[in-house]
Amino acid sequence: MRILFLNGPNLNLLGTREPGIYGQQTLKDIENGVREYGEHHGAQIEFRQSNAEADLVTWIQEAQKSADAVVLNAAAYTHTSIALRDAISAIKTPVIEIHLSNVHAREEFRHHSMIAAVCVGQIAGFGHNSYFLGLQAAMAIIQSREP
Ligand code: DQA
């Protein structure tokens, strides 16, 4: 089971970025926890972050071959990026949308996700646990698709 975690802009600042909204953990802390949990459950975890939309598009395209599922926190690009939506639509690999915060309880511009309709589902509002829930969802989808 190869599970790729992709993180969009400003998530490299987790830990110091608006901790009241996004929590105290750094992205590295989250990665370490997810890796430990995933490996314990037989998943191979790859974790990446970029502030550039183009990197995220390229990684999603590559996931068609390199991953069995993608867990994606597209951050602000969630609300703006047709390019990410098209990349997700273009691959067969299932993509799960996640957010640390409950985007639906925040500013109106965060209520709309450009990618939600082409993802398997959305997990939002559980802080760093959104990553673990995303991992569990990814493992369940992969297992349900195995012959
Ligand atoms: C976020 C929510 C987005 O609206 C925001 O732009 C982010 C982080 C989250 O994880 O809660 O950067 O994706």
Side-chain angles (χ1 to χ4, degrees):
M1 273 193 290
R2 302 162 302 166
I3 303 176
L4 175 62
F5 280 77
L6 295 181
N7 295 280
N10 300 307
L11 293 173
N12 54 314
L13 300 180
L14 287 182
T16 56
R17 177 192 181 198
E18 300 182 88
I21 297 174
Y22 298 117
Q24 309 274 355
Q25 292 206 9
T26 65
L27 194 59
K28 194 70 199 168
D29 293 335
I30 296 174
E31 175 180 351
N32 289 342
V34 162
R35 191 178 297 286
E36 193 181 323
Y37 185 93
E39 284 172 3
H40 187 73
H41 290 86
Q44 202 183 305
I45 306 295
E46 169 102 31
F47 218 90
R48 296 187 198 159
Q49 188 275 333
S50 177
N51 294 326
E53 189 177 16
D55 288 341
L56 297 164
V57 168
T58 301
W59 291 339
I60 290 168
Q61 290 178 6
E62 289 171 359
Q64 166 84 4
K65 288 199 175 140
S66 66
D68 299 310
V70 177
V71 180
L72 172 64
N73 186 348
Y77 290 137
T78 304
H79 315 297
T80 62
S81 180
I82 298 172
L84 280 185
R85 181 197 178 102
D86 286 351
I88 296 165
S89 291
I91 63 168
K92 291 202 175 72
T93 308
V95 178
I96 296 143
E97 175 183 354
I98 65 163
H99 301 284
L100 294 146
S101 64
N102 180 357
V103 284
H104 302 288
R106 298 183 62 196
E107 302 96 325
E108 201 158 333
F109 66 85
R110 295 185 204 277
H111 296 181
H112 183 251
S113 166
M114 296 294 293
I115 62 172
V118 292
C119 288
V120 180
Q122 184 191 65
I123 296 163
F126 300 96
H128 68 271
N129 285 319
S130 291
Y131 282 78
F132 290 91
L133 294 168
L135 173 57
Q136 286 171 3
M139 292 191 302
I141 290 163
I142 295 165
Q143 277 159 2
S144 73
R145 290 184 178 188
E146 271 167 10

